[in-house]
Amino acid sequence: MNGDFKHVWKRLWSELWIPLADNRPHPELLFADIYRGLKRPPSPPEEPEQPSADAFDAGGNLADPVVKAKFDSYRNLLDEYQKDRSDFELASTGQGSREALRNLLRSKADTELDAVVCLAKTYSTLVDLEDPELVLRFRSLIIEAIDTYSLGYVLVEPFVLVPTVPGVVSRLFQEMRRLTYNDPHLQQLHGEYEESCIDLNTEPTSGRIKSCIQKQFILVEGVAKQTFNVSGTTLGAICDQINLWPHATIKEVGKKLYGFRSDYPGLGHAGNPNATLRDVDLKDFIAISCMLAGLYPYLHAGMDSAVVYRG
């Protein structure tokens, strides 16, 4: 699952915006309408206050270097504004609007939220044009993009892109990777975990599955210890030391998972072979990986849940 619009944003120009204008009598005017809906008119720079008399020399020329620098900067900004204003007005009337819109869209996916807001604003613009066929066409193209790229959204009437649980989980792993790669120690732990998952692809033996689970436990413990600076070194002890749990039973989930790791042979300790019910298999790798991932928002002090949900 790609999960996010921002990951396929560059492709959407030819798969969303261009098809939207197909068979329109004046496609440049449609691009101009969308452009105006997405871009605010440029604002002129604020003019500096008029300098006092002592800022001028005997000949009436501005001599104060600080004041002169302010006015030079203002004039440069004013030139830029006038050019931007001219470009905006041309694109808003259909002259070069296709390329102007394409360039504008390139800046609209710095974050996933930016991309979703851009799509919502485009929908609002099309509604204002009072062309039901065009609105339906846009909705159809969005749904097609979601299906084509397995994006983590469902489109709800009239036009609300609601994150799905698979999409949220995908962003959770993406955010976890991004956060761990900001720290050399956590980057190493995350790299070793990913290597163990790659090894599992060769043949999902019980030993390889245990290695994956063990590496993820180590990563989770490393994340919590590094970001909360707790003294505990095991997941069980760390769960007792952090205080983000909404209820004691959720904390117990983490502690019970650590209990499983401690007691099951080969997951970090010799364990208790008499307590095992069977060998671990792929279902355990999937289930336990998801359980441990579910603890990430509690165990990483820097994780922004809004980013995980909305992007």
Side-chain angles (χ1 to χ4, degrees):
M1 170 176 283
N2 289 310
D4 294 343
F5 278 101
K6 68 179 182 182
H7 292 152
V8 297
W9 192 251
K10 292 181 179 178
R11 301 182 186 182
L12 293 186
W13 173 252
S14 60
E15 299 181 21
L16 174 58
W17 310 100
I18 294 298
L20 184 65
D22 281 350
N23 302 319
R24 300 287 298 179
H26 303 289
E28 298 297 329
L29 294 181
L30 175 60
F31 290 135
D33 288 329
I34 297 173
Y35 177 83
R36 286 197 307 273
L38 294 177
K39 185 174 178 64
R40 294 180 180 178
S43 300
E46 184 177 350
E47 186 175 359
E49 295 182 3
Q50 288 301 313
S52 58
D54 59 4
F56 297 87
D57 60 19
N61 300 309
L62 190 60
D64 187 306
V66 175
V67 177
K68 187 174 184 302
K70 287 183 179 180
F71 273 87
D72 288 343
S73 175
Y74 168 71
R75 281 190 288 270
N76 290 334
L77 291 173
L78 189 61
D79 289 342
E80 292 177 10
Y81 160 73
Q82 290 170 343
K83 181 183 183 304
D84 290 344
R85 183 72 192 188
S86 175
D87 292 343
F88 175 81
E89 290 175 351
L90 286 173
S92 296
T93 56
Q95 298 183 54
S97 57
R98 178 185 298 258
E99 192 61 26
L101 177 60
R102 187 174 189 178
N103 290 334
L104 176 62
L105 289 171
R106 287 170 180 163
S107 67
K108 291 296 182 181
D110 290 339
T111 69
E112 179 66 6
L113 183 58
D114 289 338
V116 171
V117 169
C118 176
L119 296 174
K121 286 184 176 180
T122 300
Y123 174 80
S124 296
T125 296
L126 299 179
V127 169
D128 291 341
L129 295 178
E130 298 183 347
D131 187 335
E133 184 178 339
L134 192 60
V135 171
L136 289 174
R137 176 64 171 154
F138 184 68
R139 285 178 50 84
S140 175
L141 289 168
I142 291 292
I143 292 172
E144 186 177 332
I146 290 173
D147 292 341
T148 299
Y149 296 111
S150 298
L151 304 181
Y153 292 92
V154 60
L155 183 61
V156 178
E157 294 280 2
F159 193 89
V160 182
L161 287 163
V162 179
T164 62
V165 172
V168 172
V169 171
S170 175
R171 279 192 289 278
L172 173 62
F173 278 96
Q174 293 168 21
E175 185 68 2
M176 196 64 198
R177 181 173 186 174
R178 185 186 71 81
L179 291 170
T180 55
Y181 271 54
N182 289 334
D183 181 286
H185 174 61
L186 297 182
Q187 182 179 2
Q188 179 182 352
L189 296 182
H190 195 284
E192 291 175 356
Y193 166 58
E194 289 192 327
E195 286 177 8
S196 68
C197 292
I198 292 171
D199 290 341
L200 184 64
N201 187 60
T202 305
E203 184 180 355
T205 63
S206 175
R208 289 193 175 105
I209 291 170
K210 289 178 183 179
S211 178
C212 286
I213 295 173
Q214 181 188 36
K215 292 295 185 182
Q216 192 177 11
F217 266 106
I218 293 172
L219 173 61
V220 168
E221 291 167 344
V223 163
K225 184 169 176 57
Q226 200 85 342
T227 61
F228 282 99
N229 196 29
V230 294
S231 59
T233 57
T234 66
L235 181 59
I238 290 169
C239 287
D240 279 328
Q241 292 179 338
I242 63 176
N243 57 6
L244 294 182
W245 311 108
H247 193 275
T249 53
I250 305 299
K251 176 173 70 174
E252 288 303 312
V253 171
K255 296 175 69 174
K256 292 291 187 182
L257 282 172
Y258 178 70
F260 161 70
R261 177 196 177 185
S262 298
D263 204 44
Y264 197 95
L267 284 179
H269 305 283
N272 178 14
N274 295 325
T276 61
L277 303 178
R278 59 169 173 79
D279 284 344
V280 291
D281 57 23
L282 279 175
K283 74 171 66 69
D284 303 304
F285 165 68
I286 295 169
I288 295 167
S289 294
C290 290
M291 291 179 198
L292 288 172
L295 297 176
Y296 285 159
Y298 303 113
L299 298 178
H300 197 301
M303 181 165 286
D304 187 338
S305 297
V307 170
V308 174
Y309 183 68
R310 288 287 182 186

